[in-house]
Amino acid sequence: MSLNTAAAPTHAEPDAAAIAAADPDSSDVTSTATNAHGYHNFALGEFSFSRDEYFAYVIWPTGQHVMSVDAFLRAIQRDVAWDFFYGIVNFDGVFGTMNHYGTVDLFAGRYNDAYRKAELDHMENVETPIIRDTFTAIIKDWTNEGFDPFASPAETGSAFGPKSGNNDAAVTRQRVTAARMVGLPGDEQPRSDGSGFPVNRHFVDVSQEEPQVNPEPGYEDRVAGFSLKAYLSRSDVTWNPSVVSVCRDSLMCPTTEEYILPIIHGNDRSEWFIQLSDEITWEVEDRDTGRKRATVVAKAGDVAAMPADIRHQGYSPKRSMLLVWENNSGEIPELLNSGQVKPQPVDFE
Ligand code: PHB
Ligand code: FE
C-alpha cells in the first residue's frame, strides 16, 4: 500500500492561484472617479458601493445599508482571502455573499426575516472571477496605510479618515494552506522569529519546544511533527483559519481569535470547533432568518459541533486558540439540501 501523498483537490478548496491573479484593474470592475474623500465608488450588477471617512454604503434597487468601514473591511478581507468560504459570509445581519463554488450570490436582506417580509431584499448571482476582481479592487482602494483588516484592533492602526496610502501587502496576504501537513518536506513550515513570526503578546507563556522526530531512512518525506500551540502562538492574524493538515476531505484549520469574528458565517455543512485555549462566546442564529438559537460559551478543552443550518459569530475577549475541523467534500451541500444527511453531525439521546 502506498501513502496518498497529494490531497485530492475538491471544488470547495480556495483556488490560491485564482486569488493571487485577481485583477483590480480588470475591465470586469466598474468604478467611478474618486469622491470627495479620495475613494472610488464601485458597482457590481445593481449593487453600488461607496465609502467616506467612517462608513461603507451599499445601495441596491429596493434599499440601502450603512456599516462602520472598519467592520466592512474586516469582512470583505475574509471573503477575498477565503475565496467566498463555505456557504454564506454575512458581513452583518443584512449584507453578504453565498458561495456556489463557481458563482456567488451577492445579497442584501436575503437572510433577514424583517427585510424579507417588507420585500426590501435583493439578490444577484455573479460569476466568481468578476466578484473576486471587484472585491479585491474595493479592499485595495479602501484600505489606508497602517490598517490591517486581519490584525486584532489592538495591533493595528485606524481604518478611518480620508484616503491615505494603501496596505496592499496586508490585504493581498495569502492564507496558509498545507498540502499535506505543516513540517513535511516541501510543505508549509513551522514559524519562528527568523521567518518573521514573533510570539504574540498574549501567548508569551506558550512553550516553544518542538517534538523530536527521527524517521527511519526512506520515510523522511512522510513523517514529521510540530507543536501546534507554538505554531499558533506565532500567528500574526486573527479569525483566519489556516490549513495545517489534510487527510482526503478532512481539514484541520486552526486559528487564533481576538475581538469579534468579522463575519457571521452561515454554514453549508457542519463544522467541529475544539477550543484549544482561553474562551470564545458564540452567538448562534438560524441561518435563514437570523432568529436566535443559542449562546455557546466555549472554554479551553470544549468541543462543539456547529450544525449546517445555523449561522454563528464568535467573541474572543483575549487572543485564543481554536481548532476548526472542516469536511471539505463538495458533495455535502447537496446531501444536506436533499435531506440525505441531517444538519447536525451527532445526536445525543
Ligand atoms: C467559522 O465560521 O466557522 C469560522 C470562521 C473563522 C474563524 C473561526 C470560525 O476564525
Ligand atoms: Fe462557520
Side-chain angles (χ1 to χ4, degrees):
M1 195 192 92
S2 71
L3 285 177
N4 181 13
T5 51
T10 77
H11 70 256
E13 184 67 10
D15 182 342
I19 301 170
D23 180 8
D25 301 317
S26 153
S27 57
D28 290 346
V29 179
T30 306
S31 66
T32 64
T34 54
N35 63 21
H37 314 279
Y39 300 102
H40 293 273
N41 303 339
F42 295 88
L44 185 52
E46 294 193 286
F47 282 91
S48 67
F49 303 87
S50 61
R51 83 155 277 185
D52 59 20
E53 295 200 19
Y54 283 121
F55 303 115
Y57 303 87
V58 184
I59 300 178
W60 62 96
T62 51
Q64 56 184 316
H65 189 54
V66 59
M67 287 180 67
S68 187
V69 78
D70 60 335
F72 182 92
L73 291 172
R74 289 188 176 106
I76 199 171
Q77 172 72 89
R78 271 70 185 177
D79 232 359
V80 167
W82 304 342
D83 214 27
F84 307 99
F85 207 34
Y86 299 106
I88 302 173
V89 169
N90 296 284
F91 284 36
D92 61 8
V94 175
F95 176 73
T97 59
M98 180 168 190
N99 198 352
H100 296 292
Y101 312 102
T103 66
V104 175
D105 290 339
L106 189 61
F107 64 79
R110 173 66 184 79
Y111 300 96
N112 179 310
D113 230 9
Y115 277 71
R116 294 276 283 169
K117 285 191 176 126
E119 298 183 3
L120 293 174
D121 59 302
H122 185 72
M123 184 166 85
E124 289 179 40
N125 183 257
V126 287
E127 299 289 322
T128 301
I130 298 176
I131 186 169
R132 192 190 279 131
D133 285 347
T134 305
F135 276 20
T136 301
I138 293 175
I139 194 163
K140 287 181 79 164
D141 188 59
W142 290 7
T143 302
N144 288 324
E145 186 176 356
F147 179 67
D148 179 352
F150 266 130
S152 86
E155 296 181 341
T156 191
S158 168
F160 303 125
K163 174 76 177 164
S164 152
N166 63 57
N167 198 357
D168 286 356
V171 303
T172 57
R173 209 191 250 117
Q174 289 269 314
R175 193 159 79 110
V176 173
T177 50
R180 288 188 292 162
M181 193 185 82
V182 169
L184 281 169
D187 213 326
E188 294 291 337
Q189 293 303 308
R191 299 171 173 139
S192 64
D193 290 348
S195 63
F197 293 94
V199 175
N200 183 267
R201 74 197 197 289
H202 282 172
F203 290 142
V204 287
D205 57 340
V206 173
S207 165
Q208 296 299 313
E209 206 177 329
E210 290 291 335
Q212 244 198 39
V213 182
N214 302 306
E216 289 290 318
Y219 289 84
E220 295 86 349
D221 179 46
R222 301 179 182 187
V223 180
F226 72 106
S227 162
L228 180 60
K229 285 200 167 174
Y231 184 79
L232 290 174
S233 73
R234 295 173 179 277
S235 166
D236 62 345
V237 290
T238 58
W239 307 104
N240 187 28
S242 54
V243 180
V244 299
S245 78
V246 180
C247 183
R248 298 180 190 268
D249 281 321
S250 169
L251 306 186
M252 288 294 170
C253 308
T255 156
T256 54
E257 320 297 47
E258 187 177 331
Y259 189 52
I260 306 172
L261 173 58
I263 63 159
I264 310 171
H265 181 222
N267 287 359
D268 70 357
R269 63 200 65 217
S270 52
E271 306 170 300
W272 289 86
F273 286 172
I274 302 167
Q275 189 68 36
L276 298 179
S277 84
D278 304 285
E279 185 172 313
I280 297 178
T281 297
W282 289 94
E283 291 298 340
V284 182
E285 299 168 340
D286 179 77
R287 184 191 55 189
D288 296 331
T289 63
R291 280 194 206 103
K292 175 86 183 226
R293 278 192 45 183
T295 298
V296 177
V297 181
K299 296 177 192 285
D302 285 347
V303 177
M306 290 284 170
D309 58 356
I310 58 96
R311 66 191 196 191
H312 50 198
Q313 185 167 38
Y315 294 72
S316 187
K318 77 169 279 294
R319 211 171 188 88
S320 67
M321 297 181 181
L322 171 68
L323 179 61
V324 181
W325 183 26
E326 295 282 1
N327 185 330
N328 196 42
S329 165
E331 292 166 14
I332 293 179
E334 182 46 33
L335 288 171
L336 283 157
N337 288 337
S338 62
Q340 286 172 268
V341 297
K342 292 193 226 175
Q344 73 278 18
V346 61
D347 287 306
F348 297 106
E349 280 159 4

